[in-house]
Amino acid sequence: MAVAVLATAGTLTLTACGGGNNNGGGTTVRPSPTPPATESFTGTPPSPLSSAASSAVASARASASAAASSASARADEFEASVSAAAERANQEAHKRLANVQGRGNAASDVSLSGIPRAQVSDLQAAHVNIHNSTDKTANFAVQVDFRDPNGKVVETRYVGAENVRPGQTVHPYAISHQPPQPILKPEVAKAERY
């Protein structure tokens, strides 16, 4: 005798099927689902519309959160792609410029040029063009101030370049951590050769 096992909605039903004759006769199986045991539920189950709305709100919040990832985070990611040596040079530049009075001894050897935003993940950034006009290898420390449309300094970044050969020009980045708007104008505030 063959035995069929049928599980429906958490209920197990055993039904014996026809005898040993293969004449196509047998017992018809009709599953009978049982409702869930609601005594352990709390509150009321959400309606399909309410559930869809909650899902849409959660999705919108997640999208807004992703969209709100700050320019600072994107700048950090971009800068992380720059070598550790460059980061060390930038930190050294900050230390070197702490006691520099005025614009420094290398202000005339440093200029800035723009970078298309598409190349730097829509960040505000500039190439810092450092030219060693001396006859000796030198290190440079540069302070770049980013000014808003009213001329107020809203951010200062430090850029360093080490072992720049005589006559050589290097082009490190100065990257703002400010949002893409308003458009900021970078300027060389200080530059020191050491």
Side-chain angles (χ1 to χ4, degrees):
M1 174 188 316
V3 177
V5 178
L6 176 64
T8 305
T11 304
L12 182 63
T13 305
L14 296 176
T15 305
C17 294
N21 63 14
N22 288 329
N23 63 5
T27 307
T28 304
V29 177
R30 290 189 192 128
S32 57
T34 57
T38 59
E39 62 273 2
S40 64
F41 287 0
T42 58
T44 58
S47 70
L49 183 58
S50 170
S51 182
S54 294
S55 178
V57 167
S59 177
R61 283 186 181 142
S63 294
S65 176
S69 67
S70 69
S72 180
R74 289 194 321 274
D76 288 341
E77 290 172 11
F78 187 79
E79 286 180 331
S81 67
V82 177
S83 71
E87 181 56 32
R88 184 179 50 73
N90 293 351
Q91 290 174 1
E92 180 65 22
H94 188 189
K95 287 184 216 171
R96 291 283 178 166
L97 291 169
N99 297 319
V100 170
Q101 299 299 314
R103 295 200 63 221
N105 65 12
S108 63
D109 288 342
V110 179
S111 65
L112 301 176
S113 57
I115 302 171
R117 286 183 165 198
Q119 290 180 6
V120 287
S121 303
D122 199 35
L123 298 170
Q124 300 191 67
H127 277 131
V128 181
N129 307 303
I130 302 170
H131 177 73
N132 185 357
S133 62
T134 70
D135 59 356
K136 295 181 181 169
T137 297
N139 299 327
F140 290 82
V142 180
Q143 176 183 325
V144 177
D145 288 342
F146 286 88
R147 294 184 179 271
D148 68 12
N150 297 322
K152 178 183 174 194
V153 175
V154 295
E155 182 175 21
T156 297
R157 304 298 294 165
Y158 297 92
V159 177
E162 297 178 333
N163 301 315
V164 182
R165 295 183 311 273
Q168 181 184 15
T169 302
V170 295
H171 308 279
Y173 292 106
I175 303 167
S176 171
H177 287 209
Q178 297 298 308
Q181 296 296 328
I183 300 219
L184 304 176
K185 181 181 179 186
E187 69 176 30
V188 176
K190 293 182 182 180
E192 185 78 5
R193 182 186 314 104
Y194 61 97

